[in-house]
Amino acid sequence: MIGFAVASFGVLTACATAASPGAGPGTPPASFGAVWPQPPAGEVVGTGTVIDVGGEAELCLGPVMESFPPACAGVALAGWSWADLDGVESAGDVTWGVYAVRGDYDGEALTVTDTPILLALYDPIRGDDPADGVMGTTDAAQLEQVQAEIVERLGADLLGTYLDRGYVWAQVVWDDGTLQHAADAEFGDDVVIVESALRDFDD
């Protein structure tokens, strides 16, 4: 995947405002960044570096600082155990490794429900191209303006954003379609593509 042109650390939080369940047909959608998705109903899987500092483990879905030991601001992991895992490294009170992690996400933490898989051995089903192989038609100047607006609106809730194939790509921890719908309503169809770092386990 193309590297992020703009990135920030953070996770989506459960206290964010969810889309109003009472909104009926014809109700104008709330502006982008003012509504947030509901947590997933089923299990999800996320891939990245797990960093455990003094017993507090996090899954890094966004950038990882190039330091030794590595560091990030990730999604908290509940029920994490290093027992019987390969690929484990440690320095001081920091332990880390790179895995595919399956669990239940409540908007704040990912509760591990199965043994993590070393990422080098993980063979996920290739996801569909959100753009369906079609190039976007929005000019570069407008895309840059939209990208700047997204960075301002989402702040620390944005994992990263970049321009590619005529779209603004915005990666967040989780979206059930709420953020994508708000982006389409505000910026126009086929301008912004919102990607979830966590994916439904059945996908």
Side-chain angles (χ1 to χ4, degrees):
M1 178 179 288
I2 296 175
F4 295 134
V6 179
S8 58
F9 299 121
V11 299
L12 296 176
T13 59
C15 61
T17 303
S20 171
T27 301
S31 61
F32 184 77
V35 292
W36 298 99
Q38 297 288 343
E43 289 181 318
V44 294
V45 61
T47 58
T49 302
V50 174
I51 300 178
D52 183 336
V53 181
E56 298 292 332
E58 294 183 320
L59 174 61
C60 307
L61 295 172
V64 178
M65 296 180 188
E66 295 182 358
S67 58
F68 187 85
C72 77
V75 173
L77 290 172
W80 179 263
S81 174
W82 294 102
D84 301 323
L85 293 184
D86 294 325
V88 180
E89 300 184 65
S90 296
D93 66 344
V94 181
T95 304
W96 69 94
V98 185
Y99 304 95
V101 183
R102 176 180 167 185
D104 294 317
Y105 180 62
D106 64 4
E108 291 186 338
L110 182 66
T111 300
V112 180
T113 56
D114 202 355
T115 303
I117 300 173
L118 194 66
L119 193 57
L121 304 178
Y122 182 59
D123 186 19
I125 298 174
R126 183 179 295 274
D128 295 332
D129 177 9
D132 293 327
V134 178
M135 291 289 295
T137 58
T138 308
D139 66 75
Q142 184 177 348
L143 290 177
E144 290 175 358
Q145 291 177 351
V146 171
Q147 183 183 39
E149 187 71 20
I150 288 174
V151 172
E152 181 178 351
R153 299 276 190 94
L154 296 188
D157 291 316
L158 181 68
L159 293 176
T161 177
Y162 60 96
L163 305 183
D164 184 45
R165 293 189 286 160
Y167 304 94
V168 179
W169 298 71
Q171 188 176 45
V172 297
V173 173
W174 168 256
D175 183 33
D176 60 359
T178 299
L179 289 173
Q180 184 66 69
H181 178 63
D184 291 344
E186 183 152 349
F187 304 118
D189 293 339
D190 303 322
V191 176
V192 177
I193 294 178
V194 179
E195 295 182 292
S196 294
L198 294 178
R199 301 183 60 178
D200 288 318
F201 176 70
D202 292 334
D203 283 356

